[in-house]
Amino acid sequence: MQAEAGHLLPGALDPVGGFRDRFLKACWGEETDCTPVWFMRQAGRYLPEYRALRESWSLLEICRNPELAAVATLQPLRRADLDAAILFSDLTLPLLGMGVSLEVREEVGPVVDPPLRSPGDLKRLGSLDLEGIGFLAEAIRLLRGELQVPLIGFAGAPFTLASYMVEGVPSRDFARTRSLLLQDPGTWEGLMERLAEAVLEFLLFQIKAGVQAVQLFDTWAGVLSARDYAERVLPHLERIVRGLDGAGVPRILFATGSGHLLPLLGSLGAEVVSVDWRVPLDAAGRELGGRVRALQGNLDPAALAGPPEVAEERTLEVLRSAAELPGHVFNTGHGLLPWTPPENVSRVVELVHARTAGRRR
Amino acid sequence: MQAEAGHLLPGALDPVGGFRDRFLKACWGEETDCTPVWFMRQAGRYLPEYRALRESWSLLEICRNPELAAVATLQPLRRADLDAAILFSDLTLPLLGMGVSLEVREEVGPVVDPPLRSPGDLKRLGSLDLEGIGFLAEAIRLLRGELQVPLIGFAGAPFTLASYMVEGVPSRDFARTRSLLLQDPGTWEGLMERLAEAVLEFLLFQIKAGVQAVQLFDTWAGVLSARDYAERVLPHLERIVRGLDGAGVPRILFATGSGHLLPLLGSLGAEVVSVDWRVPLDAAGRELGGRVRALQGNLDPAALAGPPEVAEERTLEVLRSAAELPGHVFNTGHGLLPWTPPENVSRVVELVHARTAGRRR
């Protein structure tokens, strides 16, 4: 199968080193030779070769074409010594798989028109059509044949997917979503149940196809109070995390602006919680109370996009704050910004590896 | 002066009760007969009479016309037994007063075109033209003649004003602003200095004209880490707070998503910190460490917009979490939502007054 994609994937990745598992080991809280590094949106618009792809294809066209998705996934690994690949995809894919009419607009985000606002709108949500997402399995198969590092699969978490559906257009405070949650608990629960079921199936599908870790993006969960998150969101997340119990892959939970939710996120049984740039990792570790195997994060993507000396200084700050953690996967606190210089990325990867080499975890 | 505006302001406000100062007393941490209540955006689109105004005038036209601004300011006080009025205005007014070309789009927010991105763009920021904002003084004069409760003036804080200028269009993560702050500290400092100077002058102008308290809206400050906020924002906020030292009016600081910034916000010497809905008031009080006279907040605006029983139950929850605070001004955690039923607002005001009457603060 390597041959099939060979014309699109010139040059082997790490042809002599063999499989490098330090990312998976860190997720399980095991000792590693150095701290592993990957970045959210490491495949994307900051890379000229990705922008070149985008001249011919839309984001969703790339997601849906296994060879293109594989190419996009591999692009950052040709430039930087990253310890994991993340399947090129979009966190709204489960919605598309459920028949939601959705468009991902560049620099805007997902647009759902008309938005979901009333109980009747739930009818627009079908169950996940696994045949319709066969392209993912094919992309995963192609990538596993090429990669010498673990491949991460992912999905948006139910709250974040619901927020896209309810708001319709990108929002700063997700007020309509928060209103629906309080105003119409029946519709909210119906929506969350369907989404949780679809997200679980979606992740199991990716695991069966070969991904070696999964990340749940509850990107906008931080707009909720701990009470609402605990009462109206957590049970659905828990169902997904529990549903992956026997799957044998580490589970990573991610949310931004979620300092006040960390004790809840730590309670679910996921191996890793990914922390944004607002809260230092040592403080986050205390909030999580030792209930995770590792923390992931949390360089400010704006620092990584900044002058090299700022990127380096902030990287060292993250490493210092991670010194006492059970395990650490170095990452940014959110996705890479489109104006990130690719050189900064490879530089920071090297710096993390060099500074943590031989440090016993 | 009451006569002048009389035709626009039918019916006196609280004609027999005299001036009601419980809001100011609470801000200073003094004992009150019950907990005072006002709401951010208590004048606005949830009121049919405000929407009627907006059929004929734009938001900025209303702000700039003293009689219309007075009418809009008073509208909510005719419906609910509120303990303070807030001048109908927009937090971007200082930018307009500095010559920035800015448009406030309904349901979108401030749009600055072209945005500020480079050192040369600083030239577009003049100093505050006090003659150009004379309409504010006239609106304040009209209102002081009518009101039997304190009048609050306000402005956007420098970071939030800067974020509007740098982003150009509303943003969820303010990544360009965070990037500029790290990438070009010189431009950032120049921008913040000019904004801090203008905001201070703007607030002093309102105080001289008669407002009896001021609120600084650092609405989007929560996107920054504590380190960046402390290093690149706080000194400018401090300059404003210190510059108001002798003015004799309480100073309220507000920011959303700022749980991790509370110790910093508490360090400035402002009398009141206004907390959003994410963090319970008792926890926020502990973070502030007893360095403020009162906390303001923090009912979720989505709860106030919800079914009456949800609004009431959440109101009681806020009162419970405020029981041990030094002082408490009841408010929402952010502005009222356009779909808030006006009946909920008056109901919650009554509930807060009734439940806290006679409780010694």
Side-chain angles (χ1 to χ4, degrees):
Chain A
M1 70 186 84
Q2 281 174 261
E4 268 179 53
H7 64 292
L8 280 168
L9 309 169
L13 292 167
D14 202 11
V16 292
F19 187 74
R20 188 201 276 178
D21 63 354
R22 68 169 74 107
F23 162 72
L24 293 175
K25 281 185 165 172
C27 289
W28 293 114
E30 293 167 16
E31 207 171 309
T32 57
D33 57 338
C34 64
T35 297
V37 190
W38 71 279
F39 296 110
M40 290 181 256
R41 288 208 205 153
Q42 63 189 21
R45 280 208 305 137
Y46 77 102
L47 291 173
E49 57 270 33
Y50 174 76
R51 293 197 296 272
L53 271 188
R54 287 298 307 280
E55 279 170 23
S56 312
W57 291 283
S58 76
L59 188 144
L60 289 179
E61 281 167 350
I62 297 173
C63 293
R64 284 173 164 144
N65 177 316
E67 294 211 335
L68 292 175
V71 167
T73 302
L74 293 171
Q75 282 175 343
L77 287 92
R78 303 196 183 287
R79 285 185 177 258
D81 193 21
L82 295 155
D83 296 303
I86 180 160
L87 182 61
F88 187 86
S89 185
D90 190 83
L91 54 83
T92 60
L93 260 275
L95 294 180
L96 288 164
M98 296 170 85
V100 174
S101 136
L102 177 144
E103 191 190 330
V104 181
R105 288 193 203 142
E106 197 71 61
E107 296 205 60
V108 172
V111 176
V112 177
D113 188 20
L116 181 144
R117 297 276 162 88
S118 65
D121 294 337
L122 282 181
K123 282 182 302 211
R124 283 155 43 202
L125 271 178
S127 31
L128 187 68
D129 169 21
L130 292 181
E131 276 179 35
I133 55 168
F135 56 85
L136 282 175
E138 178 59 13
I140 292 165
R141 197 181 61 81
L142 288 174
L143 284 162
R144 284 295 305 274
E146 288 291 322
L147 283 166
Q148 299 295 322
V149 295
L151 177 64
I152 305 168
F154 69 96
F159 173 80
T160 292
L161 294 178
S163 77
Y164 290 136
M165 294 196 63
V166 175
E167 301 294 329
V169 293
S171 164
R172 263 191 305 220
D173 56 2
F174 299 91
R176 288 209 174 268
T177 313
R178 293 189 289 118
S179 267
L180 180 72
L181 177 156
L182 293 170
Q183 221 151 22
D184 188 349
T187 300
W188 179 258
E189 290 299 313
L191 176 58
M192 292 297 277
E193 275 167 26
R194 282 169 204 227
L195 290 172
E197 186 185 326
V199 167
L200 174 57
E201 268 194 83
F202 185 77
L203 292 175
L204 287 170
F205 178 83
Q206 290 181 67
I207 293 167
K208 197 175 156 203
V211 301
Q212 291 145 297
V214 290
Q215 180 158 320
L216 262 171
F217 285 80
D218 212 355
T219 311
W220 307 118
V223 300
L224 293 181
S225 67
R227 175 183 167 175
D228 287 333
Y229 198 69
E231 291 179 1
R232 307 284 167 88
V233 177
L234 218 61
H236 305 283
L237 264 185
E238 190 163 17
R239 184 177 161 203
I240 298 170
V241 173
R242 286 282 145 258
L244 298 170
D245 261 345
V249 305
R251 298 157 287 191
I252 309 172
L253 292 181
F254 168 72
T256 68
S258 60
H260 60 301
L261 304 178
L262 287 172
L264 296 172
L265 293 172
S267 72
L268 287 170
E271 283 71 24
V272 186
V273 167
S274 193
V275 177
D276 87 0
W277 66 90
R278 291 169 176 91
V279 182
L281 287 178
D282 46 1
R286 286 190 293 272
E287 291 288 316
L288 289 164
R291 285 169 301 178
V292 293
R293 306 278 187 100
L295 276 78
Q296 181 173 273
N298 70 346
L299 181 65
D300 186 346
L304 187 57
E309 59 278 13
V310 170
E312 290 184 4
E313 189 251 326
R314 298 285 173 129
T315 296
L316 296 177
E317 191 183 8
V318 170
L319 292 180
R320 276 193 301 274
S321 77
E324 305 295 326
L325 298 180
H328 181 214
V329 175
F330 192 95
N331 204 316
T332 31
H334 200 177
L336 298 197
L337 299 168
W339 54 89
T340 308
E343 313 80 70
N344 282 17
V345 175
S346 30
R347 210 164 170 146
V348 162
V349 175
E350 278 165 37
L351 183 63
V352 173
H353 286 162
R355 287 302 179 109
T356 59
R359 192 197 278 184
R360 201 172 174 282
R361 294 221 64 88
Chain B
M1 68 188 86
Q2 279 174 261
E4 267 177 52
H7 64 291
L8 280 168
L9 309 169
L13 292 168
D14 201 12
V16 292
F19 186 74
R20 188 201 277 178
D21 63 354
R22 66 168 76 107
F23 163 71
L24 293 174
K25 281 186 163 170
C27 289
W28 293 115
E30 294 167 16
E31 208 171 308
T32 58
D33 57 337
C34 64
T35 297
V37 191
W38 72 279
F39 296 110
M40 290 180 255
R41 287 206 206 154
Q42 64 188 21
R45 281 207 305 138
Y46 76 103
L47 291 172
E49 57 271 32
Y50 174 76
R51 293 196 298 272
L53 271 188
R54 287 297 307 281
E55 278 171 23
S56 312
W57 292 283
S58 76
L59 187 145
L60 289 179
E61 282 168 349
I62 297 174
C63 293
R64 284 172 164 145
N65 177 315
E67 293 210 335
L68 293 175
V71 167
T73 302
L74 293 170
Q75 282 176 343
L77 287 93
R78 302 194 183 289
R79 285 184 177 256
D81 193 21
L82 295 155
D83 296 303
I86 180 160
L87 181 61
F88 187 86
S89 186
D90 190 82
L91 56 83
T92 60
L93 260 275
L95 294 180
L96 288 164
M98 297 170 85
V100 173
S101 136
L102 177 144
E103 192 190 330
V104 181
R105 287 193 203 144
E106 196 71 60
E107 296 205 60
V108 171
V111 176
V112 177
D113 189 20
L116 181 143
R117 296 275 162 87
S118 65
D121 293 339
L122 282 181
K123 283 183 304 214
R124 283 156 44 201
L125 271 178
S127 29
L128 187 70
D129 168 22
L130 292 180
E131 275 178 36
I133 55 168
F135 57 86
L136 282 176
E138 178 60 13
I140 293 166
R141 198 180 62 81
L142 287 174
L143 284 163
R144 283 297 304 274
E146 288 290 322
L147 283 166
Q148 298 296 321
V149 294
L151 178 62
I152 305 168
F154 70 97
F159 173 80
T160 292
L161 294 179
S163 77
Y164 290 137
M165 295 196 62
V166 174
E167 301 294 330
V169 293
S171 165
R172 264 190 307 218
D173 56 3
F174 298 92
R176 288 207 173 269
T177 312
R178 294 189 288 117
S179 268
L180 180 71
L181 177 156
L182 293 171
Q183 221 150 23
D184 187 350
T187 301
W188 179 257
E189 290 299 313
L191 176 58
M192 292 298 277
E193 274 167 25
R194 282 168 204 229
L195 289 171
E197 186 186 326
V199 168
L200 174 57
E201 267 194 83
F202 185 78
L203 292 174
L204 287 170
F205 178 85
Q206 290 181 66
I207 293 168
K208 196 175 157 203
V211 301
Q212 292 146 296
V214 290
Q215 179 158 321
L216 263 172
F217 284 80
D218 212 354
T219 311
W220 307 118
V223 299
L224 293 182
S225 67
R227 175 183 167 176
D228 286 333
Y229 199 68
E231 291 178 2
R232 307 284 168 87
V233 177
L234 217 62
H236 305 282
L237 263 184
E238 190 163 16
R239 184 177 160 201
I240 298 171
V241 173
R242 286 283 147 255
L244 297 170
D245 261 346
V249 305
R251 298 157 287 191
I252 309 172
L253 292 182
F254 168 72
T256 67
S258 60
H260 60 302
L261 304 178
L262 287 172
L264 295 172
L265 293 172
S267 72
L268 286 170
E271 283 71 26
V272 186
V273 167
S274 193
V275 176
D276 87 1
W277 67 88
R278 290 169 176 93
V279 183
L281 287 178
D282 46 1
R286 286 190 295 273
E287 291 287 316
L288 289 164
R291 285 169 301 178
V292 294
R293 306 279 187 101
L295 276 78
Q296 181 174 274
N298 69 347
L299 182 64
D300 186 345
L304 188 57
E309 59 278 13
V310 171
E312 290 184 5
E313 188 250 326
R314 298 285 172 129
T315 296
L316 297 177
E317 191 183 8
V318 170
L319 293 179
R320 277 194 302 275
S321 77
E324 305 295 326
L325 298 180
H328 181 214
V329 175
F330 191 95
N331 205 317
T332 31
H334 200 176
L336 298 197
L337 298 169
W339 53 90
T340 308
E343 314 80 70
N344 281 16
V345 175
S346 32
R347 211 164 169 148
V348 162
V349 175
E350 278 166 37
L351 183 63
V352 173
H353 286 162
R355 287 301 179 107
T356 59
R359 190 197 280 184
R360 201 174 173 281
R361 294 220 64 91

